[in-house]
Amino acid sequence: MREILFRGKRIDNGEWTYGNLIVTERLIGTECYVSSKTGIDNGKSYKFSVNPPTVGQFTGLIDKNGKKIFEGDIIVVPLSGKPAKGIVEYFKTDICGFVVITQPQYSNYVLQKNYAYEVIGNIHDNPDLLGGDDK
């Protein structure tokens, strides 16, 4: 079975938290929480308010170093010519899956198993890895 996992940056301290995604619609706007099993106390899990733009889903793939690959990660794609850096995104048109949008070529590559991808950062903590832009 595929692991369903989300991450988001906590509003209270800016740290990443991992777990289930909870989205609530309120009069003041949408609020996002990640329910985490980190810090379980007497069988209870905690939910942390997270910054909605930082929320990303686990792709189900792991990089060559054993690190989980999430939406928003910046990865190195091992192309046959020169390796390229790209951002992992969910693509909903004809592909309907996770893709890597490489920089500066702006080509889309479908994420696949058994590739030697390497996570080198993410667009929220390391936008400079792509030349200073957040996308």
Side-chain angles (χ1 to χ4, degrees):
M1 182 187 279
R2 179 169 74 94
E3 180 180 14
I4 308 296
L5 180 67
F6 290 87
R7 74 173 179 194
K9 282 190 104 168
R10 291 174 51 174
I11 289 176
D12 62 347
N13 64 11
E15 292 180 8
W16 289 100
T17 188
Y18 300 81
N20 298 316
L21 180 65
I22 303 166
V23 179
T24 58
E25 298 292 330
R26 309 254 179 181
L27 291 175
I28 58 171
T30 302
E31 294 179 352
C32 291
Y33 301 91
V34 172
S35 176
S36 175
K37 293 185 178 182
T38 304
I40 290 179
D41 184 20
N42 294 327
K44 294 181 181 178
S45 61
Y46 295 92
K47 73 176 186 179
F48 300 102
S49 184
V50 295
N51 186 359
T54 67
V55 172
Q57 185 175 5
F58 173 47
T59 63
L61 299 176
I62 296 172
D63 80 352
K64 69 180 188 176
N65 300 314
K67 187 171 183 173
K68 291 180 178 180
I69 301 173
F70 284 85
E71 285 180 275
D73 277 344
I74 299 170
I75 66 173
V76 175
V77 181
L79 300 175
S80 57
K82 181 181 175 185
K85 292 181 199 173
I87 303 168
V88 176
E89 293 187 8
Y90 185 78
F91 207 67
K92 288 194 244 183
T93 58
D94 55 341
I95 298 172
C96 281
F98 293 101
V99 298
V100 180
I101 301 173
T102 60
Q103 307 283 329
Q105 300 95 325
Y106 299 106
S107 300
N108 295 341
Y109 296 93
V110 176
L111 267 176
Q112 300 176 34
K113 287 185 176 185
N114 303 323
Y115 264 66
Y117 301 115
E118 182 177 15
V119 175
I120 58 171
N122 65 69
I123 59 172
H124 309 289
D125 294 334
N126 317 99
D128 55 312
L129 291 174
L130 295 171
D133 297 333
D134 3 294
K135 279 201 178 190

